[in-house]
Amino acid sequence: MSQEETNLQQTDFSKWYLQSIQKADLFAYGPARGTMIFKPNGYFLWKQIKKALNDQYEASGVEEVYFPMLIPQSFFEKEADHVEGFAPELPWVTKAGDEELEEPLALRPTSETLFGNAMSDWINSYRDLPMELNQWANVFRWEKRTFPFLRTSEFLWQEGHCAYATAEEAHERVLHFLKIYQDVVENLLAMPVYTGEKTPSERFAGGDNTYSLEAMMKDTKAVQAATSHFLGTNFAEAFDIKFLNEDNEHVHAYTSSWGASTRLIGAMIMTHGDEKGVVFPPKMAPVQVALLPVGNLKKNPQVLEKLREIEAELKAAGFRVSLDDSNNSPGYKYNEVEVKGVPLRLDFGPRDMENNSCMIKMRDQDDKEAVALDDLVATVQDKLDAMQTRLYEKADQFRKANEHYDIDTMEDLQAHLDKCHEEGQYPGWVLAGWDGTEESEAAVKEATGFTTRNIPFHAPVEKTVDIYSGKPAKYTVWYARAY
């Protein structure tokens, strides 16, 4: 294997990513262009995210529903900005058998129009509010360039859709759901994120405000991890969502929507993976503990018997455990555990049996450690908890090391990019001033490929001059290249 092949994260990150998710057996390519099949390990990751989010949605009083996949063309035409924003990505159904449909039907890219139409029937009085609904569904965006988990023509997500009596309550809840995303992404996926508001050109089509979580990958590109949108009365006016308020007046409701998708899986892998492949945070891992017998099992059958006892004990304690009793070589087994991202490997052989101990190897560390079997359950829990924290802290240190606060002009930015290119380094994120105009924002993108990620809620440094125009800055924004 060449030196380049052993340093793929730095030389060809996309190749590293594709190789890693294939070796981890997470997916297969679907038969239609841009689609993918979630294999059991890949779908398990989505189930973990789904459960964590659902628990918080239910605690917040959100009710779960399911809406049709097909959306009449006329629904999109009711909200001009919305249809313009999604038009290039919409796949259409125009025929059933040999018959042309009376009206083309879109495969849903998102469901604001469907929910808006239903809410116009369901909401009549202030007593019907707030209405907070969520659905887990598949959506379609006919992407020109696809990338498994991160960007596919069909993907899985959840989308919340809500209606409120006042703008203040709607806005408060928009930020509430953003905080739920942040909690799950940081504590379950061990991914630090940047929270803030999207610029107008980057916000949701038809919305008043979009708030996002942005995450830095190991190639320092950004992934938008989740979004929460304040839609004002735009969709309420388009779909006639009115209610009788306490003053006996018919007024429009204020609506919102929020969503997260299976791109979180890809982002997690790009955040924590190493040159060997995927590294799963213990809370997310399909298998948390891999048990590997060591030595000649025909001569020492008691080793496997004891491992089965250990397996039962760990499973009873709630751990996800796999015992490899195959005839494959130890080297093969070790490699399988590594490329599948298993957090903890437990080796056990005749000598360990004599010592009433085992050897433990954590996926993100090089050294092995002897552990007494009497303390095994508590030790495994401690090791997994420590690794969960360690992965978050490592990712946090990485992003901070790749933040740049001293780039204030296009000359500075170009010099930085030239230096990174010469040294084979990734460019990171740039905190810069923005004068609030789409012209300046677009010019930076055209010249460098950097887009605004968000206007941070708490900027580490406040910028005073626009990086492109040199005019006074109205906002401090994060710029980065993005997936």
Side-chain angles (χ1 to χ4, degrees):
M1 184 179 294
S2 67
Q3 179 62 34
E4 184 174 304
E5 286 290 306
T6 60
N7 194 29
L8 274 181
Q9 280 200 332
Q10 196 64 35
T11 60
D12 194 337
F13 195 79
S14 294
K15 184 176 181 180
W16 167 85
Y17 174 75
L18 290 172
Q19 286 185 359
S20 295
I21 59 178
Q22 286 170 333
K23 289 177 181 177
D25 202 30
L26 302 179
F27 86 108
Y29 289 105
R33 185 187 70 81
T35 62
M36 60 172 281
I37 299 164
F38 286 76
K39 298 182 81 171
N41 282 346
Y43 197 71
F44 178 89
L45 300 171
W46 182 234
K47 288 194 297 181
Q48 289 294 94
I49 295 169
K50 185 176 180 180
K51 181 181 184 304
L53 289 174
N54 256 346
D55 287 347
Q56 295 213 42
Y57 296 159
E58 290 174 10
S60 298
V62 177
E63 296 183 292
E64 193 166 338
V65 294
Y66 183 79
F67 275 67
M69 182 191 303
L70 299 174
I71 305 177
Q73 184 179 34
S74 56
F75 278 36
F76 288 96
E77 294 169 351
K78 290 183 179 182
E79 217 296 326
D81 290 339
H82 187 66
V83 69
E84 182 180 353
F86 281 104
E89 301 175 337
L90 286 180
W92 293 94
V93 177
T94 58
K95 294 177 67 176
D98 294 330
E99 294 185 22
E100 294 283 340
L101 299 182
E102 291 183 10
E103 180 179 8
L105 303 171
L107 300 181
R108 66 172 159 232
T110 181
S111 301
E112 275 75 11
T113 58
L114 285 174
F115 277 79
N117 181 69
M119 285 178 172
S120 68
D121 291 332
W122 298 347
I123 295 172
N124 298 291
S125 162
Y126 70 91
R127 298 183 185 278
D128 298 323
L129 298 172
M131 182 174 287
E132 296 183 323
L133 307 174
N134 178 60
Q135 78 165 348
W136 294 89
N138 59 340
V139 290
F140 299 83
R141 310 270 177 89
W142 216 246
E143 302 278 1
K144 292 180 179 178
R145 296 181 61 217
T146 59
F147 208 39
F149 294 113
L150 284 182
R151 195 174 292 278
T152 49
S153 297
E154 177 191 9
F155 56 93
L156 305 179
W157 79 349
Q158 59 75 212
E159 49 180 320
H161 298 272
C162 310
Y164 303 91
T166 68
E168 292 75 18
E169 184 183 11
H171 200 263
E172 178 187 342
R173 295 296 279 179
V174 163
L175 296 178
H176 168 78
F177 291 111
L178 189 73
K179 288 179 180 177
I180 287 178
Y181 289 136
Q182 183 177 3
D183 178 67
V184 170
V185 170
E186 291 190 338
N187 293 313
L188 180 68
L189 281 70
M191 286 170 49
V193 292
Y194 300 83
T195 58
E197 182 176 359
K198 287 288 195 181
T199 63
S201 69
E202 294 283 335
R203 72 169 58 129
F204 179 75
D208 281 1
N209 307 91
T210 289
Y211 303 94
S212 72
L213 305 184
E214 306 285 333
M216 183 190 293
M217 306 297 95
K218 276 196 170 177
D219 61 352
T220 74
K221 283 187 178 179
V223 167
Q224 182 177 282
T227 49
S228 190
H229 316 286
F230 173 63
L231 306 178
T233 59
N234 298 333
F235 284 85
E237 292 171 16
F239 289 90
D240 198 32
I241 308 173
K242 284 185 174 180
F243 67 97
L244 195 65
N245 66 16
E246 293 184 73
D247 297 325
N248 215 35
E249 302 168 322
H250 275 99
V251 295
H252 287 108
Y254 292 86
T255 66
S256 70
S257 63
W258 28 273
S261 76
T262 42
R263 69 168 22 204
L264 283 172
I265 296 171
M268 177 187 66
I269 291 164
M270 287 186 167
T271 297
H272 300 303
D274 61 18
E275 288 296 343
K276 299 172 185 175
V278 301
V279 177
F280 290 132
K283 291 180 181 179
M284 284 291 292
V287 174
Q288 295 171 311
V289 182
L291 306 180
L292 302 187
V294 177
N296 190 323
L297 297 184
K298 289 185 179 179
K299 291 183 179 179
N300 300 283
Q302 68 275 17
V303 167
L304 197 53
E305 292 172 11
K306 183 62 178 178
L307 266 181
R308 294 198 190 284
E309 292 178 16
I310 293 172
E311 178 187 26
E313 181 183 17
L314 291 174
K315 283 184 175 179
F319 299 108
R320 298 185 289 276
V321 185
S322 173
L323 170 59
D324 188 344
D325 58 359
S326 69
N327 293 322
N328 292 322
S329 68
Y332 180 89
K333 293 180 180 182
Y334 296 157
N335 183 66
E336 278 292 286
V337 170
E338 285 192 334
V339 299
K340 291 188 175 177
V342 179
L344 188 152
R345 190 186 90 208
L346 187 153
D347 301 340
F348 186 74
R351 186 176 300 175
D352 300 303
M353 193 155 187
E354 291 175 9
N355 297 330
N356 195 40
S357 66
C358 63
M359 298 299 294
I360 281 180
K361 163 74 170 63
M362 303 305 296
R363 174 62 179 82
D364 65 325
Q365 295 181 321
D366 294 330
D367 297 332
K368 294 200 293 185
E369 179 183 346
V371 171
L373 292 183
D374 293 340
D375 304 324
L376 187 59
V377 170
T379 300
V380 166
Q381 187 64 67
D382 289 345
K383 292 288 185 184
L384 294 178
D385 289 346
M387 179 177 172
Q388 184 81 23
T389 301
R390 195 162 57 241
L391 289 181
Y392 178 89
E393 291 175 347
K394 184 177 181 181
D396 196 38
Q397 290 167 5
F398 177 84
R399 71 165 178 163
K400 288 174 180 175
N402 286 280
E403 295 172 352
H404 301 283
Y405 305 148
D406 57 351
I407 296 174
D408 295 311
T409 66
M410 289 301 289
E411 290 77 14
D412 291 343
L413 181 54
Q414 192 58 56
H416 169 69
L417 294 177
D418 291 343
K419 181 181 178 182
C420 289
H421 179 72
E422 290 171 6
E423 297 179 355
Q425 301 296 320
Y426 293 121
W429 291 32
V430 173
L431 191 70
W434 176 48
D435 61 15
T437 68
E438 288 192 17
E439 290 78 12
S440 294
E441 186 181 8
V444 174
K445 179 180 179 180
E446 176 67 23
T448 67
F450 275 61
T451 57
T452 54
R453 303 321 307 153
N454 62 26
I455 304 165
F457 291 148
H458 307 289
V461 177
E462 292 295 337
K463 295 291 187 171
T464 59
V465 178
D466 183 283
I467 189 172
Y468 178 79
S469 68
K471 295 177 181 177
K474 292 184 179 179
Y475 306 95
T476 298
V477 300
W478 282 113
Y479 277 99
R481 290 174 178 155
Y483 282 98

